[in-house]
């Protein structure tokens, strides 16, 4: 399928804003199904179909939330592939859940946190985020967090989490 490590394929594609998560998954030979009917409590899933993997997102969620879900499932694929088994459903809180078809007890809270962190780093790569904040800053004027959310196509909570964890919350306006 590929000669490069999956993490290297991901890193090669973190050069545009917004990052095209679907293209990254497809480069890893993972099928992407947006707007899937996954059930009321499921945000996304990754499942195995023979030798292939399929990542699906709930059609009931906002496009920015779907992007985060795709990136979260990408994190499971890259970081936890050996634990996926036949599949994994993630709840709206990004926890493996019994509500779907693939309740996976091998995936622990620590794995979910790793997948969340991975998703934030993929959707809001540090170099690109730094560049855009600098480009949007003029004198004493700072960009508003909502501008960054729109640019990177992520939710307010995802952008806030990323900025706080980078120690950059002071570089933007509108963080509550």
């Amino acid at each position: 399928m590929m000669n490069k490590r999956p993490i290297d394929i991901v890193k090669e594609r973190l050069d545009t804003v917004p990052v095209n998560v679907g293209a990254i998954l497809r480069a890893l030979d993972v099928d992407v199904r947006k707007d899937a009917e996954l059930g009321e409590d499921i945000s996304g899933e990754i499942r195995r179909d023979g030798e292939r993997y399929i990542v699906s997102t709930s059609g009931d969620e906002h496009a920015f939330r779907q992007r985060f879900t795709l990136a979260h499932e990408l994190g499971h694929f890259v970081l936890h592939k050996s634990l996926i088994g036949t599949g994994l459903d993630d709840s709206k809180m990004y926890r493996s859940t019994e509500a779907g078809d693939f309740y996976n007890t091998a995936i622990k809270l620590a794995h979910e946190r790793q997948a969340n962190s991975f998703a934030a780093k993929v959707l809001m790569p540090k170099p690109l985020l730094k560049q855009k904040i600098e480009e949007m800053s003029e004198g004493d004027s700072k960009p508003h967090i909502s501008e960054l959310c729109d640019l990177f196509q992520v939710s307010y909570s995802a952008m806030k989490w990323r900025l706080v964890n980078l120690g950059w919350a002071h570089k933007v306006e509108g963080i509550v």
Side-chain angles (χ1 to χ4, degrees):
M1 176 175 84
M2 61 187 98
N3 297 325
K4 295 180 183 178
R5 296 179 314 151
I7 191 66
D8 294 328
I9 291 171
V10 172
K11 287 179 180 178
E12 288 173 354
R13 288 162 173 77
L14 302 182
D15 57 354
T16 59
V17 176
V19 170
N20 188 336
V21 185
I24 294 172
L25 284 160
R26 286 186 291 278
L28 292 167
D29 206 25
V30 175
D31 291 335
V32 177
R33 298 193 180 149
K34 295 181 183 177
D35 299 329
E37 293 182 24
L38 299 178
E40 179 178 327
D41 298 325
I42 307 295
S43 282
E45 73 177 19
I46 183 167
R47 64 183 165 97
R48 196 168 179 170
D49 185 19
E51 294 302 312
R52 298 185 56 83
Y53 288 85
I54 301 167
V55 168
S56 302
T57 61
S58 172
D60 295 332
E61 296 187 341
H62 188 277
F64 291 1
R65 170 85 178 186
Q66 288 183 356
R67 283 175 43 76
F68 192 90
T69 300
L70 286 176
H72 176 92
E73 302 305 336
L74 171 63
H76 283 310
F77 181 81
V78 172
L79 302 172
H80 313 128
K81 190 173 182 180
S82 65
L83 301 176
I84 293 172
T86 57
L88 164 66
D89 287 312
D90 277 312
S91 70
K92 296 191 182 295
M93 296 297 295
Y94 295 110
R95 305 289 183 266
S96 184
T97 177
E98 294 180 39
D101 296 331
F102 300 105
Y103 180 50
N104 187 326
T105 58
I107 299 292
K108 307 296 183 197
L109 182 58
H111 299 115
E112 296 294 358
R113 288 182 176 151
Q114 290 168 355
N116 281 342
S117 180
F118 185 92
K121 290 173 183 175
V122 164
L123 294 174
M124 299 161 277
K126 184 177 178 179
L128 289 178
L129 189 55
K130 181 178 188 280
Q131 174 190 345
K132 294 303 177 184
I133 290 172
E134 288 172 357
E135 287 175 4
M136 298 166 80
S137 298
E138 295 180 24
D140 291 339
S141 175
K142 302 174 187 177
H144 195 277
I145 189 172
S146 63
E147 295 173 286
L148 292 170
C149 292
D150 290 342
L151 189 62
F152 285 85
Q153 295 184 3
V154 297
S155 68
Y156 170 87
S157 61
M159 181 60 72
K160 178 182 174 182
W161 187 92
R162 184 70 168 136
L163 291 168
V164 167
N165 280 278
L166 287 170
W168 294 355
H170 67 283
K171 296 184 179 203
V172 301
E173 300 290 342
I175 292 184
V176 183

